[in-house]
Amino acid sequence: MDNHSIGLCAEHLSFSYVKECSVINNISFSISAGKITALIGPNGCGKSTLFSLLTGKLKPDAGNIILDGQNISDIKRRDIARRVSVVHQQNTAPNDITVRRLVAMGRTPYQTLFSSAQNKNDSDAVERALQITNTEKHADRMISTLSGGQRQRVWLAMALAQATDILLLDEVTAYLDIYYQLSILKLVQNLNREYGMTIVLVMHDVNQALTYSDEVMVMQKGEMAAFGKTSEIITPERIRDAFRVNSRIKSCDGKPFCFFTD
Amino acid sequence: MSKEKTISNLRVTLIFITTVVLILILFLTAMNIGGLKTSPAKLFGGLFIRYDKDAAVIFELRFPRIVVALLGGALMAVAGVLMQAVMKNPLADPGIIGIGSGAAFFAILVTALFPSLAVFMPVFSFLGGLLAFAIVYTLAWKGGEISAIRLILVGIAVNAVFTGLYQAFDQMTGGRNVNAARVISANISLKTWNDVKILAVYALIGLLLCILAAKKCNLLSLSDQTLHSLGVRVGRTKITVSVISVLLASAFTAVVGTVGFLGLIVPHIARLLVGSDHKRLIPYSVLLGAFIFLLADTVGRTIAYPYEISASVIMAVVGGPAFIILLKRSRRIYG
């Protein structure tokens, strides 16, 4: 096992917003490179906080986040941004920005103040990101003319333009209709299968985690209740413990599905 | 490149050209308004070919105020654009949220107490502007963002305090403090070539910095968390852009005085015309700011001739209603 030299891991992570009320309590894990890892848990379990710690938006009270063997607090923000990209649940952009210009902002970590003119690497990465996310047909449209689902694809394209190995997604399918939820998740799966990206997804839907993730981390009251292969981790017992609902796992067309029986 | 985009580039080019032409027309008009009238040809001859008394008088008296109006308008408009980018709020006008009056108070105070330092007035006004900005920014900050309503409320309060302070100072000194009177009335009728020089230096520095700031402003239109994951040091970027904005607004205040709405309405109209890309928005605000402020000054000179209404008064009277109209229109743009 060489987990501590490549990829993203956490060592004895603790965090609290208010003293004596810990939100994250001594969590250690290692995200498997080249896998899709789902982060699930009930509301208030600390998964959003954990996500913010992983993106570096919050600083842990104790413990470290290690990226490719280096503590992220020792790496320049720009260098992190060349290795880890993030898509948030909600995003803001000027209404009249074109899709291509927005995606091009994903090249920010590769540009300096004086080299703002895009070079070939930049424009190649942007075109590639547009293609992969299937947003090239909208490339010259203004972002405000797109639907929520199309916009989320554009934000994904921006993250792809960063050309990172690791992609962190925070409930990116929230507020989308089922068609766009699945289309985003299939896209994410494709990024993993075709391009070998390591992906961490904060998710709400247990079934989507079952279908789309290789590994799953279950969070409960600021602690890691379980972490491992999705098919082994998601069981009726664990769902009852974490989400306080009864369920059964049934196979349909050879794939496991979770039915809630409450 | 799509058709849609090409047309919009053409549109932007036309808007730039139109504005430049309008500035030229306005410039020639402004030059010829007042007790002394002369034809453009005669003036041109008098300035460049052979001495002419009328042309010389116009050159010494009218030219400086016209150039001050042009430069000042440009500075304040860009200061507004930058402040709005930092605050992520289209209502942030350095003139309204107290940066102008903070700058004015410091400038007046220091030059009154240490008259020998009057040359450094723009420096002190810069410090005052920074102080006012720091206060507004700190107090308007809540829950990780600047709330629009807090910004305006805090800004109004800070503006009121600094305005009160310099007015009190003016009254305590029996209204004899020339600098105070000048800043309060924001009257540019007595500007000299010396004022033009001071303003030009700041305009040059500031506008050069703005070329660098355009990209930062574009970045700031994304949310802080997105910027963070793009590797941008958000705090540092915001401070850089704010300091440039305060520098421009303070230079304006030191030379022209406190003028509200200029830094608000010009960027607003500019955004409607050329969009929110700062690589266009900043250069266009330079032009439009110059045009609008010279227009305000020229109208002020004409409307009650032989008496003059100062450009800041015109800006307030026209700017208030225009602001409300723009605010109603802008719902569509800013949600």
Side-chain angles (χ1 to χ4, degrees):
Chain A
M1 288 293 277
D2 196 13
N3 283 336
H4 290 272
S5 65
I6 192 150
L8 192 60
C9 43
E11 294 174 350
H12 308 291
L13 221 50
S14 292
F15 180 83
S16 57
Y17 292 100
V18 191
K19 263 188 188 164
E20 310 296 317
C21 182
S22 78
V23 181
I24 300 290
N25 196 1
N26 195 18
I27 292 186
S28 297
F29 57 84
S30 172
I31 302 292
S32 306
K35 293 268 193 307
I36 299 179
T37 304
L39 187 50
I40 63 169
N43 290 339
C45 69
K47 60 184 188 299
S48 291
T49 306
L50 180 60
F51 187 84
S52 296
L53 288 168
L54 283 178
T55 63
K57 189 176 147 198
L58 296 176
K59 303 240 174 303
D61 296 339
N64 301 309
I65 291 159
I66 311 289
L67 175 63
D68 298 338
Q70 236 182 323
N71 195 327
I72 60 163
S73 59
D74 299 333
I75 315 177
K76 279 189 194 160
R77 282 282 354 138
R78 158 193 293 270
D79 290 332
I80 296 175
R82 292 176 182 187
R83 288 186 255 169
V84 182
S85 52
V86 184
V87 180
H88 297 278
Q89 183 181 332
Q90 279 178 306
N91 299 287
T92 49
N95 282 347
D96 65 342
I97 193 171
T98 63
V99 168
R100 181 175 276 113
R101 266 190 55 217
L102 187 59
V103 173
M105 283 179 154
R107 298 303 293 169
T108 305
Y110 298 90
Q111 294 166 345
T112 64
L113 192 57
F114 297 100
S115 74
S116 57
Q118 281 189 31
N119 63 27
K120 181 126 191 346
N121 279 346
D122 288 340
S123 51
D124 284 353
V126 170
E127 292 309 316
R128 180 175 168 272
L130 289 168
Q131 259 168 30
I132 294 172
T133 53
N134 203 14
T135 49
E136 70 219 296
K137 55 182 178 293
H138 309 310
D140 294 308
R141 278 175 65 182
M142 294 193 283
I143 189 86
S144 54
T145 64
L146 302 182
S147 73
Q150 290 169 325
R151 262 182 237 183
Q152 202 57 288
R153 290 183 92 89
V154 173
W155 290 104
L156 258 170
M158 187 176 102
L160 287 183
Q162 275 176 256
T164 60
D165 295 329
I166 300 172
L167 176 60
L168 309 179
L169 306 169
D170 185 16
E171 296 192 35
V172 284
T173 57
Y175 309 124
L176 300 183
D177 65 34
I178 189 70
Y179 171 81
Y180 278 113
Q181 285 187 30
L182 296 184
S183 95
I184 294 275
L185 289 168
K186 279 176 195 154
L187 173 59
V188 167
Q189 196 169 41
N190 186 43
L191 292 175
N192 169 260
R193 303 282 189 267
E194 292 285 320
Y195 303 94
M197 290 182 85
T198 303
I199 291 162
V200 179
L201 283 156
V202 176
M203 288 183 123
H204 250 307
D205 188 316
V206 175
N207 274 308
Q208 290 180 352
L210 263 174
T211 310
Y212 292 98
S213 70
D214 302 309
E215 302 198 341
V216 66
M217 184 193 309
V218 183
M219 294 271 300
Q220 221 177 313
K221 292 178 186 157
E223 295 184 5
M224 196 171 79
F227 188 15
K229 243 184 119 195
T230 304
S231 53
E232 291 164 12
I233 293 295
I234 296 188
T235 59
E237 294 74 38
R238 190 147 281 131
I239 288 171
R240 194 182 55 231
D241 288 350
F243 294 97
R244 293 175 296 163
V245 291
N246 293 311
S247 64
R248 266 187 239 163
I249 311 276
K250 293 276 184 195
S251 179
C252 176
D253 293 341
K255 289 190 282 186
F257 284 92
C258 179
F259 295 90
F260 301 101
T261 54
D262 272 354
Chain B
M1 204 149 284
S2 82
K3 207 177 165 193
E4 199 178 322
K5 207 173 174 187
T6 325
I7 289 172
S8 102
N9 275 338
L10 180 68
R11 198 185 97 157
V12 170
T13 315
L14 282 177
I15 289 171
F16 267 86
I17 293 171
T18 312
T19 311
V20 171
V21 171
L22 285 175
I23 290 175
L24 286 175
I25 294 171
L26 182 61
F27 181 83
L28 293 173
T29 314
M31 221 163 56
N32 226 0
I33 287 175
L36 207 56
K37 294 203 194 307
T38 181
S39 72
K42 222 179 132 196
L43 183 71
F44 185 83
L47 289 179
F48 296 108
I49 302 167
R50 185 165 46 84
Y51 181 81
D52 177 274
K53 205 179 106 228
D54 287 356
V57 170
I58 288 175
F59 180 77
E60 283 305 324
L61 294 181
R62 279 188 211 153
F63 264 45
R65 82 177 293 173
I66 291 173
V67 179
V68 163
L70 287 170
L71 288 176
L75 284 180
M76 201 58 181
V78 175
V81 171
L82 300 190
M83 194 53 68
Q84 287 149 24
V86 170
M87 301 278 198
K88 297 179 195 286
N89 187 324
L91 299 180
D93 167 21
I96 293 176
I97 63 170
I99 290 164
S101 50
F105 175 62
F106 261 55
I108 292 168
L109 190 68
V110 173
T111 49
L113 297 179
F114 312 101
S116 59
L117 296 178
V119 188
F120 299 108
M121 191 158 148
V123 177
F124 292 114
S125 76
F126 180 44
L127 293 176
L130 282 179
L131 176 70
F133 172 74
I135 296 172
V136 172
Y137 195 88
T138 316
L139 294 178
W141 181 268
K142 196 185 184 190
E145 58 176 10
I146 298 277
S147 107
I149 204 80
R150 284 176 77 94
L151 173 69
I152 299 304
L153 294 178
V154 171
I156 288 169
V158 170
N159 191 27
V161 171
F162 280 118
T163 306
L165 282 173
Y166 70 64
Q167 284 180 344
F169 194 80
D170 180 47
Q171 288 168 7
M172 277 191 297
T173 54
R176 282 189 302 274
N177 187 300
V178 187
N179 285 326
R182 198 177 73 163
V183 168
I184 290 168
S185 70
N187 192 333
I188 58 172
S189 63
L190 296 174
K191 292 299 157 195
T192 61
W193 281 109
N194 200 32
D195 295 307
V196 172
K197 275 182 210 153
I198 298 173
L199 206 53
V201 169
Y202 282 89
L204 198 66
I205 298 171
L207 297 177
L208 278 176
L209 289 171
C210 283
I211 297 171
L212 301 178
K215 195 183 172 200
K216 290 186 191 293
C217 290
N218 277 345
L219 283 174
L220 286 173
S221 62
L222 302 179
S223 68
D224 287 359
Q225 60 179 2
T226 305
L227 292 178
H228 184 78
S229 46
L230 286 174
V232 177
R233 278 164 301 191
V234 183
R236 183 189 281 209
T237 306
K238 284 185 176 174
I239 289 171
T240 312
V241 176
S242 330
V243 168
I244 299 173
S245 169
V246 173
L247 178 74
L248 300 176
S250 308
F252 176 88
T253 307
V255 176
V256 176
T258 51
V259 176
F261 294 110
L262 184 57
L264 184 113
I265 288 170
V266 175
H268 233 107
I269 301 174
R271 239 177 249 119
L272 292 175
L273 290 175
V274 302
S276 66
D277 180 355
H278 287 80
K279 284 174 184 159
R280 288 170 179 173
L281 183 60
I282 290 177
Y284 187 68
S285 296
V286 167
L287 293 180
L288 192 65
F291 176 75
I292 299 262
F293 199 48
L294 180 57
L295 184 66
D297 185 50
T298 309
V299 168
R301 277 165 63 195
T302 322
I303 203 165
Y305 186 80
Y307 299 104
E308 285 195 2
I309 301 170
S310 94
S312 65
V313 174
I314 300 283
M315 281 312 298
V317 172
V318 181
F323 173 50
I324 293 167
I325 293 167
L326 290 171
L327 200 63
K328 287 183 92 78
R329 272 186 64 105
S330 71
R331 293 261 160 77
R332 273 181 275 149
I333 300 170
Y334 299 108

